[in-house]
Amino acid sequence: MNEQNNALPREGQILCVLKPEVTRRDRLFLSLSFCYCFLLADALHWPWGLGNTVTVFLWLLLLTAFLGPETMFRRPESRVLLVVNLALAASFALTSNFFFRWWNFLALLVLLPLHSLSVCGVLPWWNPAMLWERFLLLMWGLFGNLWASFERPKASEQKVDPKRTLAVIMGACGGLALVSILLPVLLSADALFAAAAENLRFAATWHFGDAFWRLLTACVLTPFLFGFLFSLRHPRPLKHSGTAARTDSLIFALMLAALDVLYLLFLGVQSAGLFGGPEYLAGLGISYAEWARSGFFQMVGVTVVNLTLMLAALSFSRQEGRGWSGVRVLSAALSLESLILLASAAWRMSLYVAAYGLSFKRCMTYWGMSMMALFFLAALLKIRKPAFSFCRIAFPLALAGWLAINCVPIDWLTARNQVDRWLDGSSPSVSASYLLYDLSYQTIPQLERLDGSILVRIYDYGSEIPLSEMLQRRRDDALQDCRDWRSWTLSAFLVS
């Protein structure tokens, strides 16, 4: 490739592949791409486990080998995303929580392309338009280079003798014809050989039936995967990105003012419930437990809407005149009100947990409220400095927060809390079925502290069985997961 093709693109450009020549090195990685797609079809099955971890690790290895370490690790964001992707991939081999598995899988579907395309994307990672740019590059890489898998290397690099190729084909066909003729003769000549061949045929039918479909899946996926890798090696500038249009700030000011007044009235009513206590609520015909357990999920959702509107107002309003000053003041008021709403929701959640104990959803709600509070603090910084990029803090904060919550043993904490409450008499019941089947294997050691003769109701079957039997069933499930390397997890191994 010439010097112009190898030059790094300038900021503000979108990259694309025109049509570079395919080399022998590309042919080698076409074969590796096919092998990877075959492994992908074999490893991605249910239940998830070590197979997902291996698949992601091998993808990153293939990407590094194809592009080179200098290209892969040139940008700081590439190095950060590499660490994040490795950590999320490792979680499949460590834990067995369905919620985290599913959301980590979705996160990897986004972060792996972002990491791969960071080597050729030109917009900075803190620019929200980067997501759209990377999406366009991904679509072009997957569908715009399908020809690369079927194009032969340029003539100067082809060293295969056509006559030698014809000899190989003719020899293979002759050998297959001879085997087809002589094999039935040998089967009829020896009963032992016929029995061994029958066993071999049964094993081949059983195993190679799945292998055929994996092979077919790999053949379908390979052109798309190789085309994507090929586009990363041969980027070209295509066009310049435009700047976002700004609108009259009065529109956003009126919307923010309406929400500020609404939340001011809402917080006034909330304060009466917070400080009035059970007696005040009883006078209104509302039980304290009913009031405490309602509303915190809605409050979290409301604050998401508030943050979205506020960021839109700060990003798309014309930064001039009294309207802009009003947008900044009203946005600051909305941020403070949202923080108070989150504090109120956290307080009510704490009252509910004190009465009914922890659950996985309640722990995640605590995490969600904490993350939203941090986002609003970052938004206050943007209000003070409008030129500051909110995403420059929000993106790393979101990644760090998600990695942090993945490291917290929520299932174990939930099980310990519910078992402790049962043992000290704070709770009349323990949700053993929920802890065993809705959460991960980490709950088993905590439930073993209970009397194994306790009858547990299985709602799917409408029957009751002893807790010891349920625990043994879950241990058998963990042992079954560990028998296949693709579904192996550390969580299952520790209790099997």
Side-chain angles (χ1 to χ4, degrees):
M1 297 177 64
N2 56 37
E3 182 178 355
Q4 180 181 1
N5 294 342
N6 289 328
L8 292 176
R10 298 187 304 274
E11 184 171 335
Q13 294 176 327
I14 294 180
L15 302 183
C16 180
V17 173
L18 296 180
K19 193 174 179 181
E21 294 179 335
V22 178
T23 64
R24 292 188 64 201
R25 176 181 171 85
D26 294 328
R27 294 292 93 186
L28 171 63
F29 279 94
L30 175 61
S31 302
L32 294 178
S33 299
F34 173 79
C35 295
Y36 177 79
C37 289
F38 186 83
L39 174 67
L40 185 68
D42 181 56
L44 290 182
H45 81 307
W46 184 259
W48 292 337
L50 182 61
N52 303 75
T53 303
V54 172
T55 301
V56 175
F57 277 40
L58 287 180
W59 162 253
L60 296 173
L61 183 63
L62 176 65
L63 189 67
T64 303
F66 193 66
L67 300 179
E70 299 82 4
T71 302
M72 281 293 299
F73 307 133
R74 182 176 66 236
R75 294 186 174 183
E77 58 266 29
S78 298
R79 297 191 289 269
V80 172
L81 286 175
L82 174 63
V83 173
V84 172
N85 288 330
L86 289 174
L88 292 180
S91 69
F92 287 95
L94 297 177
T95 65
S96 54
N97 182 282
F98 172 78
F99 177 89
F100 282 123
R101 281 178 167 180
W102 178 245
W103 283 102
N104 286 342
F105 177 75
L106 295 179
L108 286 171
L109 287 182
V110 176
L111 294 177
L112 284 175
L114 284 180
H115 170 248
S116 304
L117 293 165
S118 64
V119 302
C120 63
V122 293
L123 292 177
W125 59 267
W126 61 83
N127 188 339
M130 170 272 301
L131 296 173
W132 178 245
E133 178 206 38
R134 303 296 198 271
F135 175 76
L136 293 178
L137 290 170
L138 175 63
M139 291 298 102
W140 176 259
L142 290 176
F143 300 100
N145 297 279
L146 295 177
W147 56 269
S149 299
F150 307 99
E151 186 168 295
R152 301 176 63 186
K154 55 185 180 181
S156 61
E157 296 195 11
Q158 292 182 16
K159 299 182 179 180
V160 179
D161 186 359
K163 294 182 179 180
R164 191 67 177 270
T165 303
L166 179 62
V168 171
I169 296 175
M170 294 180 63
C173 292
L176 182 62
L178 289 174
V179 170
S180 301
I181 295 172
L182 296 176
L183 181 60
V185 177
L186 294 176
L187 290 175
S188 60
D190 191 289
L192 181 60
F193 180 75
E198 179 62 23
N199 293 334
L200 180 63
R201 184 192 67 81
F202 178 78
T205 304
W206 178 262
H207 292 288
F208 288 97
D210 291 339
F212 170 77
W213 291 110
R214 297 190 191 109
L215 182 65
L216 181 62
T217 303
C219 291
V220 173
L221 292 179
T222 298
F224 296 95
L225 181 72
F226 179 72
F228 176 68
L229 289 171
F230 194 73
S231 69
L232 297 180
R233 284 195 67 192
H234 307 280
R236 295 292 192 281
L238 180 61
K239 62 180 181 180
H240 294 275
S241 58
T243 57
R246 295 186 178 272
T247 188
D248 192 343
S249 56
L250 180 61
I251 299 174
F252 290 107
L254 293 174
M255 297 171 65
L256 291 169
L259 289 186
D260 284 340
V261 173
L262 174 63
Y263 293 135
L264 190 61
L265 295 174
F266 180 82
L267 289 173
V269 176
Q270 281 276 298
S271 61
L274 286 172
F275 300 107
E279 295 79 8
Y280 175 79
L281 293 173
L284 298 176
I286 303 174
S287 68
Y288 196 66
E290 179 184 357
W291 176 79
R293 71 184 178 185
S294 63
F296 32 75
F297 296 115
Q298 292 87 333
M299 290 302 98
V300 175
V302 163
T303 54
V304 173
V305 176
N306 296 348
L307 182 63
T308 303
L309 174 61
M310 187 175 60
L311 292 176
L314 294 171
S315 301
F316 301 116
S317 295
R318 294 195 187 101
Q319 300 182 6
E320 57 186 19
R322 294 182 177 178
W324 171 242
S325 299
V327 166
R328 295 180 65 184
V329 172
L330 293 170
S331 296
L334 184 60
S335 295
L336 294 176
E337 289 175 341
S338 298
L339 288 171
I340 297 174
L341 285 174
L342 288 172
S344 171
W347 174 259
R348 293 167 66 179
M349 173 64 78
S350 299
L351 295 175
Y352 188 64
V353 168
Y356 298 99
L358 281 176
S359 70
F360 182 84
K361 183 185 293 186
R362 294 161 200 164
C363 291
M364 292 303 297
T365 303
Y366 275 124
W367 173 82
M369 290 186 289
S370 301
M371 295 300 300
M372 287 303 302
L374 293 175
F375 289 149
F376 274 107
L377 292 177
L380 285 173
L381 182 59
K382 182 172 179 59
I383 295 171
R384 184 172 178 269
K385 299 179 180 179
F388 174 76
S389 174
F390 171 80
C391 295
R392 195 160 194 166
I393 287 183
F395 285 172
L397 191 61
L399 290 178
W402 184 247
L403 289 179
I405 195 61
N406 268 270
C407 296
V408 177
I410 297 180
D411 296 344
W412 182 84
L413 292 174
T414 299
R416 189 185 68 170
N417 176 265
Q418 291 207 16
V419 171
D420 287 344
R421 289 171 55 83
W422 164 268
L423 294 177
D424 63 21
S426 301
S427 176
S429 62
V430 58
S431 303
S433 180
Y434 160 77
L435 295 174
L436 280 175
Y437 289 99
D438 290 355
L439 301 183
S440 69
Y441 296 123
Q442 291 177 312
T443 62
I444 292 178
Q446 291 299 318
L447 288 172
E448 287 180 332
R449 296 163 54 196
L450 301 175
D451 185 0
S453 62
I454 297 176
L455 294 179
V456 179
R457 182 172 181 82
I458 307 298
Y459 294 101
D460 293 341
Y461 302 99
S463 59
E464 293 182 345
I465 61 175
L467 176 61
S468 58
E469 183 177 342
M470 289 187 64
L471 291 172
Q472 186 58 46
R473 290 183 182 181
R474 287 298 286 162
R475 288 189 179 277
D476 293 341
D477 293 338
L479 182 61
Q480 185 65 29
D481 287 347
C482 292
R483 287 174 178 168
D484 192 331
W485 73 271
R486 297 169 296 179
S487 58
W488 186 95
T489 63
L490 180 62
S491 175
F493 174 76
L494 292 177
V495 300
S496 60

